[in-house]
């Protein structure tokens, strides 16, 4: 990967060089369209180097010929800094998506225009695509335009380290949307908490788990900004002495633009429109009050939501310490392991009040789970019992369904669906391999037919890979 810092320096490549087809005399060229492009290097007084994008060949022609130009030597490093990194980050897991493919055809024409819009503060998010997914449950999703996703990645690259430092300071009690954390790490920590509080199950201990009602749709955007903007100002010294130091005012402006953006006012609905009739209104941005909710599907929504909940974490950590309990959170599922049932009931009542006071959101009245730890505790797809942990029936069922969806995609030779379902299954496999689940994994793939035409399995049913040449019947 060529990052923004190594890509350009006085118009020349400074990092590891790409293949010769991507360069003309150490000048950047973009083999995107079937046209001839001039480079910024002369071959002689009368000739200049150019590249033919239809076949990748390069040669020199007379300067009187009419070819297109992609000059890079005149670009200001300060102007482009970080935008190549944002594009790379945005494309990292989306190279096969149609929007990514289409943008990569024009990025050399648009990326710096996008950067200019942000720097001149004329940028506004554009039309999103909205649809409803049905698994594992009905959920409204907004897919931002690809250039808007690049802006989100540019912003998150600057904010994520500030948030991460806050999560570490809190003792790593949050396990979602963080590198090196995740569902299994959450279960592992919860197991350690249970063993510690119950003295390895030799004493009474209770588990209390709660949820937030319509979490993403209920986020108070004004309250979020009240916490977010002062925090960024206070912690921006993190970037002192780096290229990001100059971006503070721009980051504050862009953060507010994104938080205040209402994608439901400018979107295209796709998929089965009848699903909106059965989707509860409190789970849709189309029916909630103004300046409530952040769209599921945006990278910034995940990051901001985790930061938002960190202010509840502050109270929960202190309350748990006072009662010699332990606290963990995964997105909006949070739990306490405590010594008595009375403590569990206290945390139920106090959490409801503190969520309303600190974040202006409501605890879900029906998703309350209080149980003695010896009887087993449920958390993010796993069940923990003394000396062992195993998968919940719901997780197993969702995994089997995901495998059947991939089989159907392979049968239809729907390559985009194949890539999407492989990512989903590998996410499940990354979780399942931490449990005694070999038999479950093997059985799920044993009766497939079309799957093997497009994919194969590495290891002991640990990772699904797509064949270089996908052949579907």
């Amino acid at each position: 990967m060529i990052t923004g810092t190594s890509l350009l320096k006085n118009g020349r490549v400074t990092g590891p060089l790409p293949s010769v087809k991507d360069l003309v005399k150490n000048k950047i060229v973009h083999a995107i369209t079937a046209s001839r492009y001039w480079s910024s290097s002369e071959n002689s007084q009368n000739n200049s180097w150019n590249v033919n994008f239809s076949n990748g060949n390069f040669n020199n022609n007379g300067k009187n010929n009419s070819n297109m130009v992609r000059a890079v030597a005149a670009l200001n490093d300060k102007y482009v800094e970080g935008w190549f990194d944002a594009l790379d980050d945005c494309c990292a897991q989306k190279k096969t998506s149609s929007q990514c493919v289409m943008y990569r055809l024009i990025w050399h024409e648009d990326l710096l225009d996008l950067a200019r819009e942000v720097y001149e503060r004329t940028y506004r998010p554009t039309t999103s695509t909205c649809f409803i997914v049905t698994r594992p449950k009905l959920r409204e999703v907004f897919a931002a335009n690809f250039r808007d996703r690049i802006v989100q990645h540019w912003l998150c690259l600057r904010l994520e380290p500030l948030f991460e430092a806050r999560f570490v300071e809190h003792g790593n009690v949050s396990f979602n949307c963080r590198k090196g954390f995740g569902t299994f790490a959450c279960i592992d920590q919860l197991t350690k908490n249970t063993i510690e509080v119950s003295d390895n199950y030799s004493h009474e201990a209770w588990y209390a788990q709660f949820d937030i009602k319509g979490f993403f749709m209920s986020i108070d955007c004004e309250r979020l900004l009240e916490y977010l903007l002062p925090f960024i100002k206070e912690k921006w010294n993190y970037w002192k002495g780096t290229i990001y130091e100059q971006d503070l005012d721009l980051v504050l402006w862009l953060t507010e633009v994104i938080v205040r953006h209402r994608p439901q006012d400018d979107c295209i609905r796709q998929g089965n429109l009848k699903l909106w009739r059965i989707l509860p209104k409190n789970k849709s941005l189309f029916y909630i009050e103004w300046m409530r909710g952040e769209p599921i599907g945006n990278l910034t929504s995940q990051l901001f939501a985790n930061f938002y909940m960190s202010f509840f974490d502050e109270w929960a950590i202190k309350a748990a310490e006072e009662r010699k309990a332990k606290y963990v959170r995964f997105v909006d599922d949070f739990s306490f392991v405590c010594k008595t049932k009375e403590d569990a009931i206290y945390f139920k009542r106090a959490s409801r009040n503190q969520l309303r006071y600190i974040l202006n959101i409501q605890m879900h009245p029906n998703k309350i789970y209080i149980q003695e730890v010896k009887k087993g505790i449920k958390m993010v797809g796993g069940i923990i019992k003394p000396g062992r942990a195993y998968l919940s029936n719901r997780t197993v069922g969702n995994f089997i369904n995901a495998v059947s969806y991939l089989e159907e995609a392979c049968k239809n030779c729907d390559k985009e669906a194949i890539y999407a379902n492989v990512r989903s299954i590998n996410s499940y496999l990354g979780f399942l391999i931490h449990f005694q689940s070999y038999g479950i994994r093997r059985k799920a793939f044993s009766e497939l037919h079309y799957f093997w035409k497009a994919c194969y399995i590495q290891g002991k049913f640990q990772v699904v890979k797509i064949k270089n040449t996908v052949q579907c019947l």
Side-chain angles (χ1 to χ4, degrees), residues 42 67 130 154 218 248 280 305-306 321 342 360 431:
E42 283 187 329
N67 294 328
C130 183
W154 184 91
S218 65
L248 174 57
N306 206 18
E321 288 176 350
E342 289 72 22
N360 194 24
F431 180 63

Side-chain angles (χ1 to χ4, degrees), residues 404-415 417-418 421 472:
S404 67
Y405 296 139
L406 177 57
E407 171 76 352
E408 186 68 20
C410 293
K411 179 180 179 181
N412 298 330
C413 204
D414 185 342
K415 292 186 179 180
I418 290 172
N421 282 286
C472 303

Side-chain angles (χ1 to χ4, degrees), residues 41 54 86 101 113 122 129 247 252 287 343 357 419 449 465:
S41 295
S54 62
V101 170
D113 286 340
T122 60
T129 301
D247 291 334
L252 292 171
Y287 299 103
D343 286 341
Y357 174 71
Y419 279 99
H449 174 68
K465 295 285 188 177

Side-chain angles (χ1 to χ4, degrees), residues 137-167:
K137 58 183 178 182
L138 284 179
R139 183 175 290 135
E140 181 183 81
V141 177
F142 285 84
N145 184 282
F146 197 80
R147 73 196 309 265
D148 295 327
R149 296 184 211 174
I150 296 171
V151 174
Q152 292 178 22
H153 280 262
W154 184 91
L155 180 63
C156 290
L157 285 172
R158 285 149 178 76
L159 294 183
E160 189 172 7
L162 310 186
F163 295 164
E164 180 62 22
R166 177 175 174 82
F167 301 143

Side-chain angles (χ1 to χ4, degrees), residues 352-410:
R352 181 186 295 116
N353 294 335
Q354 291 298 323
L355 284 170
R356 190 180 298 116
Y357 174 71
I358 298 171
L359 303 179
N360 194 24
I361 54 179
Q362 295 181 15
M363 194 166 78
H364 201 296
N366 301 324
K367 293 185 178 181
I368 296 172
Y369 180 77
I370 297 176
Q371 182 163 285
E372 194 172 4
V373 296
K374 288 182 179 180
K375 297 180 180 179
I377 56 182
K378 296 186 296 183
M379 186 68 170
V380 290
I383 298 176
I384 303 169
K385 285 193 173 183
R388 65 193 188 279
Y390 57 92
L391 297 165
S392 68
N393 291 336
R394 179 179 175 181
T395 301
V396 174
N398 289 339
F399 169 66
I400 292 172
N401 288 339
V403 172
S404 67
Y405 296 139
L406 177 57
E407 171 76 352
E408 186 68 20
C410 293

Side-chain angles (χ1 to χ4, degrees), residues 217-234:
M217 301 302 148
S218 65
I219 291 174
D220 184 334
C221 298
E222 297 290 359
R223 186 71 59 91
L224 172 60
L225 287 172
E226 288 176 11
Y227 290 137
L228 189 52
L229 299 181
F231 173 82
I232 295 172
K233 291 179 183 178
E234 179 186 348

